[in-house]
Amino acid sequence: MTIADLIDNTRLELGDELKTRWSDAQLLRVVGKAYRRLSHVLYRNDIELGRCLYRFTTEPGRDDYPLPADFMADYGLYREDTATRLTKQSDDSWQQQGTPAECSTWLIRGETLLVGGAPTGSIPLVLIYWPLFDTATLDMDSPTPFGGKLDDLVSEYAALRLKNIDEMDIGADTQLLADLENNLLNTYSAISPVTVQRRGWLV
């Protein structure tokens, strides 16, 4: 499905197939806002559907690398050659870590990913992260994000949001967002594995 198809479906909900009330540009903005809100809902609730992979290779002696343009928050950084996870540092622990082993720790500072223990060679790394949907890239011919899995949620949210604009009811907007989040969680939270903490014989 394309964004144009999604907007057509939203118009059916609005009873505005002739485009007499809302322009395509207005609908596009509301749809974009819905996807950006979903980005935060997916991250906040740790839904696997919202994660992306970014692969890059280190350069000898280099310890700073740019983050993906759509980076919002990290899930983890991994060495693909050894199948190990690098230890993420805080600013405090980063400053006190001394001389870490090669490519063993990392830190995000601004729009840069810093690797502790500057690599001496080319090491394949993969960053798993949460992207923030970029509305600037959204156009009518674009395929819908998330593989189309959230199209109905976005269409219904956009239609309800537009119906509510004339009412100027803040309470209704809050309820719309809650409904969007609840629908997403009910559908996709079961896909992500749940880690159960059990008491051991030493505890």
Side-chain angles (χ1 to χ4, degrees):
M1 181 181 289
T2 65
I3 295 297
D5 296 327
L6 180 67
I7 285 178
D8 286 343
N9 289 344
T10 305
R11 287 192 183 283
L12 288 175
E13 296 284 338
L14 295 169
D16 188 36
E17 295 94 324
L18 298 180
K19 305 183 181 182
T20 57
R21 177 64 181 90
W22 304 102
S23 68
D24 284 343
Q26 289 172 316
L27 278 164
L28 194 62
R29 290 179 64 183
V30 174
V31 165
K33 187 169 187 177
Y35 278 118
R36 287 180 69 87
R37 285 194 167 187
L38 280 173
S39 294
H40 291 283
V41 173
L42 290 165
Y43 164 65
R44 187 169 63 249
N45 295 282
D46 195 22
I47 304 297
E48 188 175 4
L49 174 66
R51 299 180 201 143
C52 286
L53 300 181
Y54 174 64
R55 287 184 167 86
F56 63 100
T57 303
T58 63
E59 301 173 13
R62 181 180 177 184
D63 62 2
D64 62 304
Y65 300 88
L67 289 167
D70 61 350
F71 178 86
M72 179 173 66
D74 62 273
Y75 180 82
L77 180 63
Y78 305 83
R79 285 185 59 159
E80 293 198 290
D81 57 338
T82 59
T84 56
R85 180 173 183 158
L86 279 67
T87 303
K88 188 179 181 186
Q89 303 289 312
S90 66
D91 280 316
D92 184 60
S93 61
W94 179 266
Q95 296 301 127
Q96 301 180 60
Q97 66 179 336
T99 305
E102 180 185 25
C103 208
S104 60
T105 63
W106 68 296
L107 173 74
I108 291 175
R109 185 163 287 160
E111 297 180 355
T112 302
L113 186 156
L114 301 176
V115 176
T120 58
S122 298
I123 297 176
L125 299 178
V126 58
L127 173 68
I128 302 179
Y129 71 100
W130 304 94
L132 180 61
F133 185 75
D134 183 8
T135 56
T137 63
L138 194 65
D139 60 50
M140 301 295 281
D141 296 325
S142 301
T144 54
F146 305 110
K149 294 181 177 68
L150 305 180
D151 290 352
D152 287 342
L153 287 176
V154 170
S155 181
E156 290 170 7
Y157 172 83
L160 291 171
R161 183 69 186 267
L162 289 167
K163 288 176 182 177
N164 185 57
I165 283 178
D166 293 335
E167 300 298 326
M168 297 298 289
D169 183 353
I170 295 176
D173 278 349
T174 303
Q175 183 60 47
L176 290 176
L177 182 57
D179 289 343
L180 176 73
E181 181 169 348
N182 289 336
N183 288 335
L184 173 64
L185 295 179
N186 289 337
T187 303
Y188 291 103
S189 61
I191 295 176
S192 297
V194 176
T195 301
V196 178
Q197 299 291 338
R198 301 185 184 279
R199 295 175 61 86
W201 63 275
L202 291 176
V203 182

